[in-house]
Amino acid sequence: MLTIHLNGAALEVDADPDMPLLWAIRDRLDLTGTKYGCGIAQCGACTVHMDGQPVRACQTRIGDVGSAKITTIEGIEGKVAEAVQGAWRKLDVVQCGYCQSGQIMSAIGLLTENPKPTDADIDSAMDGNVCRCGTYQRIRAAIHEAARSLA
């Protein structure tokens, strides 16, 4: 039995320490907002925050989490999260939606560190978050909109 700090709560998880955090979140804790995309940390669908930093849950072993605070899409909160979610809705970013939880988690990570990103900053921070529907322009516009609303 492992204890992880997830979305503000200490939770016991019956999992092998080698299990990817993604599967512990989805299969053991029934939080399915974090998606499985590629399994090799290349698509970003599984992005969660570990101590506030975006990480790929598919390549993070639950045994390596230790006392870090993990936040999933279900647990995001605060003014940056609200600004990003509001901008996503306002600009109708989502098409199929599969990648969007990872996109949003990466965008929150970016705006938390850099409240006034340039296009190049956004492209760099969002690199590795794949959107098969190609909503990259709307994602970039939503990040700019969220930054404006935070200013």
Side-chain angles (χ1 to χ4, degrees):
M1 204 56 98
L2 300 168
T3 301
I4 64 169
H5 301 277
L6 182 72
N7 297 336
L11 301 173
E12 295 289 322
V13 182
D14 184 14
D16 184 291
D18 288 330
M19 176 184 276
L21 177 60
L22 174 65
W23 299 124
I25 290 168
R26 290 182 58 81
D27 294 349
R28 299 291 200 268
L29 299 171
D30 295 321
L31 295 174
T32 58
T34 305
K35 304 300 183 196
Y36 172 77
C38 67
I40 57 172
Q42 298 297 303
C43 74
C46 67
T47 303
V48 298
H49 290 175
M50 184 170 357
D51 287 336
Q53 297 298 310
V55 297
R56 304 298 197 244
C58 72
Q59 292 294 299
T60 303
R61 296 173 344 123
I62 191 169
D64 292 336
V65 169
S67 63
K69 290 176 177 55
I70 305 298
T71 306
T72 67
I73 191 73
E74 293 92 346
I76 60 171
E77 59 186 12
K79 65 181 184 174
V80 176
E82 290 169 11
V84 169
Q85 290 174 314
W88 245 248
R89 285 188 297 272
K90 179 179 179 181
L91 299 180
D92 199 22
V93 171
V94 178
Q95 192 161 325
C96 86
Y98 196 81
C99 70
Q100 294 305 304
S101 61
Q103 300 279 0
I104 288 169
M105 296 302 284
S106 291
I108 293 168
L110 166 63
L111 290 173
T112 299
E113 296 292 319
N114 180 357
K116 295 181 182 179
T118 64
D119 282 349
D121 295 333
I122 293 169
D123 292 347
S124 177
M126 301 303 287
D127 186 42
N129 283 82
V130 177
C131 175
R132 292 179 58 164
C133 299
T135 64
Y136 299 111
Q137 297 299 341
R138 293 194 312 243
I139 290 167
R140 184 189 293 147
I143 293 170
H144 282 302
E145 175 67 25
R148 280 190 295 276
S149 76
L150 290 166

